[in-house]
Structures are given as C-alpha cells and as structure tokens.
C-alpha cells in the first residue's frame, strides 16, 4: 500500500477518518490498492504494537479481521453516494470494531436506557491493550470488560470496568478520568497510573496507585491514595482498608505473566488460574480451598504453577482436557 493508503487504513481503524477520507479509502479498495497481504502486514504491526506475540491465534484473527474489513468495504461502496451520513455512522462503529478485533478483543454496541455504549471484552487466557480517544491507555487482564460511551472525552471521561485493568491516564484537570466498578465504587483521577482489580466473583475490590493521585469513593466513604498505597474494599461487609506497600510493581506483575501470592487461599488462586489459562478447577473436598500460599512465581506456565502448588502442599492434581481437579495426596 502507498503511504497515503496505509495512513487511511490506520485512520479507519482508529476511527478518525474525515468524510473525504472515507471516500478515498472506498475508492482505493475498489481499485484493488489494498491487498490481503498488505492488510495482514499492517495487522501484524498493530498486533506487535499492542504487546502481543505472533501465534496461531494471531494468524486466525488476522484472517478474520481481513474478512470483516472486506465485508464493510463491499457493503458500503454502493451505498455511499445515497446514504453518506448513514455510512459514516456505520464506519465509525466498524472502524473501532476492527481495531479491537486486531488487538484480540471483541467489541459490542449495546443499547441501555436509550444510551449506546462501546463494550470491550477480553476472554479467558487473553490480555490486550486499548487506547481511548483522549490518549489514555488501558491494559486489560483476562476475563475483563471495559465500557464507555462513543462520545468519551467530549463532555466526560467515564469508563466502567469489570475485571482487572492498568490505567495510564492523560492529564486533564478540567475533565477528571472516572472508573466505575461494581458495588458503586468510583475511582477518580486527573492524570496518573493505577491498577484496579474488580472481578465479579471476587470478594475484594482493590486499587493500587503507581503514580500521581486518585480518589476512591462510594456513597458512604472517600479515600485519597498516594503513590505506593493500596485500598481494598470488601464487598461483603462494605469495609475499606488502606495500606502502604513496598513494591507497587507487584500489583502489575500480571502484565508480565508473573504471580505474587501473599497468604492467598487456593480457592482464590484457582479463580486467577481459571481466568489466565481458560480452564476450570474443582476440589474433592472444601477444606482444600482454604490452604494458603505465599511467594512469587516467575516462570508461570500452567504446569509450573500447578507443580509448585503440589510440591509445597499435601495435594495432587489430575487434568482432563481443560478441567483440573485438586485432591489430597494418597499415602
């Protein structure tokens, strides 16, 4: 592709095309100036920029992304002259959808009380990066979901999170960045770096401040965090607890595929493993879930993690397909 066409494809994927540029891109596709190989090379560069490594999944997603790109091009080439404004709205959604698809995400457009939201979902076993319209970056952990409105940044900068994410927020004192989680918990930032963990099946919601300043609040309480501080909210009793930690890097070890456990029960560890490796875990007796573990695991292939758990405790595991069962070791 020429540099101009490459820039047009990039703008299409980032949802920044002007009306004139949309027409140029359609004509370029019509004139066969965009090939599958060229699109694939561009895809590969975006995949690499997102911090993803080449894999079978990457190749499969590249093929699907190309098919989806062609579908939108073919669908709208004939309708552009008569329904230009309508197509621009469609292209806006299509562009974002294809970009997220490239990054290994899925995107949905949903209607909720007459308002539309963009929903970014990361499946078990996946991680992904997203750049929001204001330039803020979000790294999503496995089994996480991020929602925001199509006009994000124009009047407000609010996102909704379920799961875990690391935020690098662009500073804008006149328009604070707000993250809403479950249990009506709100995190407000102007410009900062922080990690939030708020999975629906966890009893704790935690926020860790890496840099800057954030305010964590609900209808009853408000706490301001300084760097190297962590706040936890117990969803069962509604209580907050704030602590200072030695290394904030521990909060984001998940981004480099590492584990840090501090008296974590095997039941809680199992939830993490299920999300990270896309498996299911069961136990032959309930008391097994209460066994606690502390430590750091660097080489965290699933087999390595499972073997370490069984080495330091009186447990064994069996695996059938994607299902793992922990049981007590037989004498």
């Amino acid at each position: 592709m020429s540099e101009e066409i490459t820039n047009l494809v990039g703008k299409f994927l980032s949802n920044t095309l002007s009306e004139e540029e949309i027409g140029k891109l359609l004509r370029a596709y019509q004139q066969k100036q965009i090939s599958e190989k060229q699109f694939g090379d561009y895809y590969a560069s975006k995949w690499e920029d997102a911090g993803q490594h080449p894999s079978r999944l990457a190749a499969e997603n590249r093929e699907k992304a190309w098919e989806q790109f062609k579908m939108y091009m073919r669908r709208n080439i004939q309708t552009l002259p008569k329904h230009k404004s309508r197509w621009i709205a469609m292209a806006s959604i299509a562009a974002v959808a294809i970009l997220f698809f490239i990054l290994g995400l899925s995107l949905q457009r949903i209607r909720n009380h007459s308002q539309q939201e963009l929903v970014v979902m990361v499946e078990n076993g996946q991680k992904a990066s997203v750049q929001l319209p204001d330039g803020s970056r979000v790294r999503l952990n496995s089994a996480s979901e991020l929602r925001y409105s199509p006009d994000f940044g124009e009047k407000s900068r609010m996102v909704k999170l379920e799961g875990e994410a690391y935020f690098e927020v662009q500073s804008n004192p006149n328009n604070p960045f707000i993250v809403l989680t479950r249990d009506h918990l709100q995190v407000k930032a102007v410009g900062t770096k922080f990690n939030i963990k708020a999975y629906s099946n966890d009893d704790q919601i935690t926020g860790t401040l890496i840099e800057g300043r954030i305010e964590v609040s609900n209808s009853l309480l408000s706490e301001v965090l300084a760097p190297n501080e962590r706040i936890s909210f117990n969803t069962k009793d509604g209580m907050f607890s704030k602590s200072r930690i030695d290394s904030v890097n521990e909060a984001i070890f998940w981004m480099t595929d590492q584990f840090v456990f501090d008296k974590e029960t095997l039941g809680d560890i199992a939830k993490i493993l299920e999300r990270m490796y896309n498996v299911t875990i069961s136990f032959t007796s309930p008391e097994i879930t209460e066994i606690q573990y502390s430590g750091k695991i660097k080489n965290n292939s699933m087999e390595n993690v499972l073997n370490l758990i069984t080495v330091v405790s009186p447990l064994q595991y069996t695996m059938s397909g994607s299902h793992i069962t922990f049981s007590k070791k037989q004498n």
Side-chain angles (χ1 to χ4, degrees), residues 37-54:
K37 182 181 184 305
Q38 291 167 331
F39 186 91
D41 291 343
Y42 188 86
Y43 166 93
S45 69
K46 285 295 181 182
W47 184 271
E48 183 176 346
D49 289 344
Q52 305 293 331
H53 301 292

Side-chain angles (χ1 to χ4, degrees), residues 22-41:
I22 288 172
K24 286 182 180 179
L25 184 61
L26 285 170
R27 286 191 292 274
Y29 179 79
Q30 228 175 358
Q31 296 166 8
K32 298 183 178 181
Q33 297 180 42
I34 307 172
S35 69
E36 181 175 2
K37 182 181 184 305
Q38 291 167 331
F39 186 91
D41 291 343

Side-chain angles (χ1 to χ4, degrees), residues 273-311:
L273 300 182
E274 287 179 331
R275 292 190 289 254
M276 183 165 186
Y277 298 115
N278 195 23
V279 296
T280 57
I281 297 176
S282 61
F283 307 91
T284 57
S285 57
E287 62 267 21
I288 293 177
T289 64
E290 300 303 318
I291 298 175
Q292 293 184 345
Y293 297 85
S294 296
K296 178 179 176 181
I297 303 175
K298 292 184 178 180
N299 178 20
N300 69 338
S301 68
M302 183 173 67
E303 291 78 9
N304 183 55
V305 175
L306 295 175
N307 288 335
L308 284 174
I309 289 173
T310 56
V311 164

Side-chain angles (χ1 to χ4, degrees), residues 226-262:
N228 285 69
E229 287 188 334
R230 171 181 292 162
I231 193 164
S232 297
F233 175 71
N234 189 302
T235 60
K236 290 186 174 180
D237 59 23
M239 298 297 291
F240 281 96
S241 62
K242 188 167 72 170
S243 60
R244 188 162 184 83
I245 56 179
D246 294 331
S247 174
V248 291
N249 289 328
E250 293 182 3
I252 54 176
F253 273 149
W254 62 266
M255 295 188 347
T256 53
D257 295 331
Q258 299 181 68
F259 290 122
V260 175
F261 300 131
D262 183 15

Side-chain angles (χ1 to χ4, degrees), residues 25-276:
L25 184 61
L26 285 170
R27 286 191 292 274
Y29 179 79
Q30 228 175 358
Q31 296 166 8
K32 298 183 178 181
Q33 297 180 42
I34 307 172
S35 69
E36 181 175 2
K37 182 181 184 305
Q38 291 167 331
F39 186 91
D41 291 343
Y42 188 86
Y43 166 93
S45 69
K46 285 295 181 182
W47 184 271
E48 183 176 346
D49 289 344
Q52 305 293 331
H53 301 292
S55 64
R56 180 178 58 82
L57 177 63
E60 292 175 355
N61 281 354
R62 180 180 62 226
E63 295 173 2
K64 293 177 182 178
W66 168 246
E67 291 302 318
Q68 190 166 350
F69 178 77
K70 288 193 300 180
M71 178 181 69
Y72 282 110
M73 291 291 101
R74 291 170 178 172
R75 179 183 298 168
N76 293 289
I77 283 174
Q78 301 300 323
T79 61
L80 179 60
K82 294 182 180 179
H83 304 288
K84 189 171 295 184
S85 61
R86 175 177 174 270
W87 191 88
I88 291 172
M90 292 177 62
S92 172
I93 299 302
V96 180
I98 293 175
L99 175 61
F100 286 144
F101 193 69
I102 284 176
L103 299 182
L105 306 170
S106 62
L107 174 73
Q108 294 182 356
R109 192 185 191 202
I110 65 171
R111 187 172 299 276
N112 182 17
H113 301 300
S114 299
Q115 292 183 342
Q116 294 172 340
E117 287 184 320
L118 299 178
V119 184
V120 184
M121 292 182 289
V122 184
E123 298 180 351
N124 284 350
Q126 300 293 314
K127 296 184 183 74
S129 299
V130 180
Q131 181 167 324
L132 296 172
D134 70 336
S136 296
R137 293 183 178 273
V138 185
R139 184 71 186 267
L140 290 162
N141 201 353
S142 303
S144 298
E145 178 180 294
L146 188 75
R147 300 185 179 214
Y148 61 96
S149 66
D151 62 354
F152 174 92
E154 295 179 11
K155 295 182 179 179
S156 69
R157 297 194 296 166
M158 185 180 74
V159 300
K160 300 174 185 177
L161 171 69
E162 181 175 321
E164 184 168 20
Y166 169 71
F167 294 85
E168 292 186 359
V169 175
Q170 288 291 319
S171 179
N172 185 348
N174 297 322
N175 192 357
F177 190 100
I178 296 175
V179 183
L180 297 180
T181 72
R182 51 188 285 240
D183 288 76
H184 307 290
L185 201 65
Q186 172 180 292
V187 178
K188 183 166 68 174
V190 173
T192 187
K193 299 177 181 179
F194 57 97
N195 191 84
I196 298 177
K197 184 179 180 183
Y199 284 103
S200 60
N201 60 346
D202 286 352
D203 295 335
Q204 296 279 340
I205 298 174
T206 60
T208 306
L209 182 60
I210 314 297
E211 180 182 301
R213 178 177 178 271
I214 58 174
E215 178 184 354
V216 182
S217 62
N218 62 10
S219 59
L220 299 176
L221 189 65
S222 176
E223 289 282 351
V224 175
L225 265 63
N228 285 69
E229 287 188 334
R230 171 181 292 162
I231 193 164
S232 297
F233 175 71
N234 189 302
T235 60
K236 290 186 174 180
D237 59 23
M239 298 297 291
F240 281 96
S241 62
K242 188 167 72 170
S243 60
R244 188 162 184 83
I245 56 179
D246 294 331
S247 174
V248 291
N249 289 328
E250 293 182 3
I252 54 176
F253 273 149
W254 62 266
M255 295 188 347
T256 53
D257 295 331
Q258 299 181 68
F259 290 122
V260 175
F261 300 131
D262 183 15
K263 297 181 181 179
E264 299 272 0
T265 67
L266 185 54
D268 288 336
I269 292 173
K271 295 176 185 177
I272 298 173
L273 300 182
E274 287 179 331
R275 292 190 289 254
M276 183 165 186

Side-chain angles (χ1 to χ4, degrees), residues 304-323:
N304 183 55
V305 175
L306 295 175
N307 288 335
L308 284 174
I309 289 173
T310 56
V311 164
V312 298
S313 60
L315 299 179
Q316 61 186 10
Y317 74 90
T318 57
M319 192 166 183
S320 176
S322 61
H323 183 79

